[in-house]
């Protein structure tokens, strides 16, 4: 195609009026693009999280109200993360398998309140339950064991599915876990329970506030580099995604979000499957810090960053700004 040149071509022409900008807009962001991560606590009170200004841990009694709020705003799905009491954490993370753990009680409370009016996504990994803060079982040297961990993750997934989870989201980055979790879900009759694989999850410096929120920061010694990905790698992300899809993932996730938009775009272009992005805690904290410093306006920063995910090809975004964004989008 031959392009006309200036002055026949003036790209500013279609930008001149709001109606025209609306007409030519290539992507739209709606509340239905959002997944709202929520933290749950065993205490009776709402607990504000200092590292995430504006975000709290909610008691089980209060979590259903948040889910109802999400549904009313048009947010289709919430993601749950428990802050397990210290005395319930152990080297083996056994609390993850307790049918009455915080996660399962929260799932049931939301289901009772909302029926199937909202999707419940649950994180599969052991870090909220281990006394050492790693996502899996460790050997004497502190190395996270793959296959032994996967067996526990299967049991954890079945525990969450039995409590009523709609989407199982393994965030652990063990090899081979999607296939065996899918097999176990099928065997137990959970045919419609989805798997959203944290397929390309990087060993990132942006998870700090989250670890405060689930209470694992002080416990964690060392890092997660033997299982989470090297931020230098892109091709490897495509291999991770290919494996998780081949093992039966219904959708895949890239995490963190904005610093890894290139990965979102590559995954979408290569696989043409639903790709989600997680705008993680450190990204939320950066926006809030910018706002507090007078360096930007919250509403605009939130909507611009979320639209960036849509432009990159994401089907949706997990974001702690979900409720605020939905309110803005709903006018
Ligand atoms: C743990 C998990 C993490 C996040 C989600 N699940 C942290 C980690 O891997 O250490 C991070 C989310 C965020 O920072 O918002 N399995």
């Amino acid at each position: 195609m031959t392009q006309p040149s200036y002055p026949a071509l003036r790209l500013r022409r279609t930008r001149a009026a709001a109606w025209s900008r609306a007409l030519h807009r290539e992507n739209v962001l709606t509340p239905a693009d959002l997944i709202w991560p929520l933290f749950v606590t065993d205490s009776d009170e709402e607990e504000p999280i200092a590292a995430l200004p504006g975000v709290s841990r909610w008691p089980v009694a209060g979590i259903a109200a948040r889910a109802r709020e999400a549904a009313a705003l048009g947010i289709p799905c919430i993601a749950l993360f428990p802050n397990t009491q210290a005395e319930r954490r152990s080297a083996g993370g056994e609390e993850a398998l307790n049918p009455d753990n915080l996660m399962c009680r929260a799932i049931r409370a939301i289901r009772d309140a909302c029926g199937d009016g909202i999707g419940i996504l649950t994180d599969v990994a052991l870090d909220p339950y281990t006394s050492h803060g790693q996502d899996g079982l460790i050997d004497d040297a502190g190395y996270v064991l793959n296959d032994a961990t996967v067996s526990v993750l299967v049991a954890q997934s079945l525990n969450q599915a039995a409590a009523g989870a709609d989407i199982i989201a393994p965030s652990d980055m063990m090899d081979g876990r999607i296939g065996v979790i899918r097999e176990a879900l099928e065997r137990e009759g959970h045919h419609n329970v989805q798997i959203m694989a944290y397929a390309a999850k990087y060993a990132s410096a942006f998870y700090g506030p989250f670890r405060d929120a689930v209470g694992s920061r002080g416990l964690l010694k060392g890092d997660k580099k033997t299982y989470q990905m090297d931020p230098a790698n892109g091709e490897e992300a495509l291999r991770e995604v290919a494996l998780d899809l081949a093992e039966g993932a219904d959708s895949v996730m890239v995490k963190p979000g904005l610093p890894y938009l290139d990965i979102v775009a590559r995954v979408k272009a290569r696989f043409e499957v639903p790709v989600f992005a997680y705008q993680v805690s450190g990204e939320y904290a950066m926006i809030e810090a910018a706002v507090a410093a007078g360096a930007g306006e919250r509403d605009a920063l939130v909507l611009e960053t979320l639209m960036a995910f849509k432009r990159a090809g994401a089907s949706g975004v997990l974001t702690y700004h979900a409720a605020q964004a939905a309110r803005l989008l709903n006018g």
Side-chain angles (χ1 to χ4, degrees):
M1 189 180 90
T2 54
Q3 286 256 79
S5 59
Y6 170 86
L9 180 69
R10 291 179 188 264
L11 289 181
R12 289 187 57 191
R13 211 175 275 136
T14 54
R15 292 179 207 144
W19 66 262
S20 181
R21 290 193 294 274
L23 189 63
H24 290 88
R25 193 157 294 135
E26 297 176 33
N27 292 285
V28 284
L29 178 69
T30 77
D33 295 315
L34 307 174
I35 298 176
W36 192 14
L38 294 169
F39 297 104
V40 198
T41 174
D42 239 320
S43 89
D44 298 330
E45 307 277 331
E46 172 186 352
E47 297 173 342
I49 301 160
L52 289 173
V55 178
S56 293
R57 299 182 200 102
W58 298 95
V60 172
I63 199 73
R66 298 283 75 69
R68 263 193 244 105
E69 182 184 345
L73 288 166
I75 296 170
C77 185
I78 49 124
L80 294 175
F81 297 95
N83 182 312
T84 306
Q85 290 167 300
E87 58 271 25
R88 293 188 167 273
R89 298 183 195 226
S90 58
E94 283 85 358
E95 180 65 6
L97 312 185
N98 173 1
D100 286 315
N101 69 19
L102 196 48
M103 176 73 103
C104 293
R105 280 180 283 135
I107 296 170
R108 289 193 292 264
I110 293 168
R111 192 59 76 213
D112 283 349
C114 302
D116 61 3
I118 194 145
I120 305 174
L121 179 152
T122 55
D123 203 75
V124 168
L126 298 182
D127 53 313
Y129 312 93
T130 54
S131 46
H132 45 71
Q134 293 287 2
D135 291 25
L137 308 178
I138 56 174
D139 68 13
D140 291 343
Y143 183 76
V144 174
L145 299 163
N146 194 86
D147 300 6
T149 297
V150 169
S151 316
V152 184
L153 297 179
V154 170
Q156 181 185 21
S157 302
L158 290 177
N159 191 34
Q160 294 174 352
D166 297 299
I167 307 181
I168 299 293
S171 71
D172 54 285
M173 289 299 282
M174 297 302 115
D175 285 322
R177 85 280 203 221
I178 300 300
V180 285
I181 291 173
R182 184 70 264 164
E183 200 179 286
L185 290 172
E186 293 299 318
R187 194 177 58 235
E188 298 291 318
H190 300 297
H191 309 296
N192 282 339
V193 171
Q194 304 175 26
I195 298 178
M196 182 187 293
Y198 283 73
K201 175 171 177 181
Y202 288 85
S204 171
F206 286 95
Y207 304 150
F210 172 95
R211 292 178 190 168
D212 278 339
V214 299
S216 67
R217 168 123 78 177
L219 304 173
L220 184 65
K221 282 162 209 67
D223 55 44
K224 301 190 177 182
K225 291 180 183 171
T226 69
Y227 47 108
Q228 298 178 353
M229 284 182 52
D230 184 338
N233 296 354
E235 283 176 2
E236 189 185 355
L238 301 180
R239 296 183 81 187
E240 284 283 4
V241 168
L243 282 170
D244 286 357
L245 290 173
E247 291 175 30
D250 299 283
S251 56
V252 293
M253 195 200 298
V254 173
K255 176 183 173 190
L258 282 191
Y260 297 86
L261 276 189
D262 59 322
I263 306 300
V264 173
R266 286 172 77 177
V267 168
K268 187 67 193 177
R270 169 80 64 96
F271 298 99
E272 300 176 309
V273 298
V275 184
F276 291 82
Y278 199 145
Q279 187 175 42
V280 299
S281 58
E283 297 178 72
Y284 174 94
M286 274 201 319
I287 291 175
E288 291 300 316
V291 172
E297 203 240 309
R298 179 185 289 111
D299 295 355
L301 290 170
V302 167
L303 293 182
E304 181 178 332
T305 56
L306 293 175
M307 182 61 88
F309 290 103
K310 292 301 304 277
R311 195 191 59 243
S315 296
V317 189
L318 291 89
T319 174
Y320 301 97
H321 280 118
Q324 281 152 278
R327 259 180 236 112
L328 291 171
L329 294 168
N330 290 331

